[in-house]
Amino acid sequence: MTAAYHGYPLVRVGGFNTVAATRAQLAQIMVKDCLAARTTKADPKLVFSSNGQGIALAGEDPKFADAMDGADIIHADGMSVVNASRLLTRTPLPERAATTDFFHDAAEAAQAAGLKFFILGGKEDQNLAATEAMQRLYPALQIVGRRNGYFSSEQDAEVCQAIVDSGADVLWVGLGKPKQEFWSVANRDRLRGVGWVKTCGGLYSYLAGDAPRAPVWVQKAGLEWLFRTLLEPRRLGVRYLITNPHSIYRMVRYSG
């Protein structure tokens, strides 16, 4: 990564060069990159997110760390990343750009600029419900294709060709961390002409109504992880018990 992206500084937080841009600014970067890609037909920009889980995972799995290094843009998905930048770096990040919130900025910008989305990942019913929700919320948004996340690596070329043929400018990839990052890096050269490949984790579950968001004050306090743990203690309790101390250590050790 360079020291800036489209003029926005890159701040080292937890080992990741994280772009110091607001959600609205990130959406405008998306528009610029996607309109340029229509002419250049270059490899897409890989846009990943940073949160405590990902920072801890990068310390445990060198392959995931390498995948994150392959990103063109990393934004702060977790409030802990923003808080760490304020305490540990000279250039604090302006705000949290949670993917579940950023999607709405991206959709509004896409409507205005005429960008096209492809929705990849999740279970079939969830993918369909999320896509229908997107169309209800943003009637002018062009969604040119969708596919669930249940396909084999042998089908990657076929899936990528369908995405390219659709004319999509932004590919949303919801395959879960770290699979979605590995998949995006591995298939980048098959997606030439697409402007952005944006990983989106559990976005579809929120849009489909399967998972509630934490209250805004909980999000701002950086406690959304606790809210989620209370909803799913068996699945998330152990994960956060392990990842939170590790991510805090890495944010202290690898920020600045």
Side-chain angles (χ1 to χ4, degrees), residues 119-184:
I119 311 303
L120 179 68
K123 296 179 180 179
E124 174 60 24
D125 58 347
Q126 187 181 78
N127 182 292
L128 175 59
T131 302
E132 291 176 342
M134 294 173 193
Q135 293 284 211
R136 286 195 303 272
L137 291 167
Y138 305 100
L141 179 63
Q142 299 181 65
I143 299 178
V144 293
R146 68 170 194 87
R147 178 164 183 156
N148 65 52
Y150 290 80
F151 55 90
S152 67
S153 58
E154 288 75 18
Q155 295 174 285
D156 281 351
E158 170 197 332
V159 171
C160 290
Q161 190 60 55
I163 293 165
V164 172
D165 289 346
S166 75
D169 298 295
V170 180
L171 169 62
W172 295 86
V173 182
L175 299 175
K177 194 186 295 290
K179 182 180 179 180
Q180 60 193 9
E181 287 79 14
F182 291 147
W183 188 90
S184 298

Side-chain angles (χ1 to χ4, degrees), residues 12-16 55 59 88 248-256:
R12 192 75 170 171
V13 185
F16 298 150
I55 288 171
L88 303 169
I248 291 170
Y249 163 75
R250 288 186 61 80
M251 280 188 276
V252 173
R253 177 68 177 82
Y254 299 107
S255 296

